[in-house]
Amino acid sequence: MDILYRRGRATAAEVLEELPGNTHDSTVRTQLRVLEEKGHIRHEEEGLRYVYMPAVSRHAARKSALRHLVQTFFDGSVEKTVAALLGGEAARLSEHELRRIADVITKARKEATR
């Protein structure tokens, strides 16, 4: 998805060129098909080639992926998710980053009491 967001549109071969490692063409084509079935991307036919492009905004895809991650690995618990994110990583956060996180929490509290 990141490649498609960055490029705007690409063929399976162009996606494959940008992937690190030794990924197979069939793997890329399968993943593109799955992403299309889920509605994340779409394609247009140009001659014999399919050209793929995002079907949803990066923001919408990010929200969907995050919702899936929270449901799958953290039993739907935002608290468990945040605890896991901050667990070992909190020591690496700058004071500025911690302040911004605190501001997000303050804002969420205010919206919850409305």
Side-chain angles (χ1 to χ4, degrees):
M1 285 296 300
D2 189 49
I3 293 167
L4 292 177
Y5 283 122
R6 197 171 52 253
R7 292 181 64 127
R9 51 191 286 127
T11 64
E14 291 168 335
V15 170
L16 181 62
E17 285 174 10
E18 290 198 37
L19 289 173
N22 202 9
T23 308
H24 292 279
D25 179 67
S26 61
T27 303
V28 171
R29 291 181 189 283
T30 299
Q31 188 62 45
L32 289 169
R33 182 180 45 76
V34 169
L35 287 168
E36 188 167 23
E37 287 172 359
K38 290 183 175 187
H40 297 295
I41 65 174
R42 61 185 181 84
H43 77 270
E44 294 176 354
E45 292 183 40
E46 290 184 2
L48 298 176
R49 303 179 328 162
Y50 280 11
V51 179
Y52 296 91
M53 63 227 50
V56 296
S57 71
R58 185 183 286 263
H59 176 73
R62 184 180 298 138
K63 283 179 69 172
S64 174
L66 183 57
R67 188 172 31 255
H68 178 72
L69 178 105
V70 171
Q71 288 297 329
T72 303
F73 296 103
F74 299 99
D75 303 318
S77 170
V78 173
E79 178 185 358
K80 289 179 184 178
T81 306
V82 171
L85 287 170
L86 295 178
E89 300 295 317
R92 296 185 210 150
L93 293 173
S94 70
E95 187 58 38
H96 175 73
E97 290 169 319
L98 289 169
R99 236 184 340 269
R100 286 179 46 205
I101 291 168
D103 290 345
V104 169
I105 292 169
T106 299
K107 182 179 176 186
R109 280 187 177 132
K110 287 180 183 174
E111 289 177 5
T113 59
R114 290 184 185 174

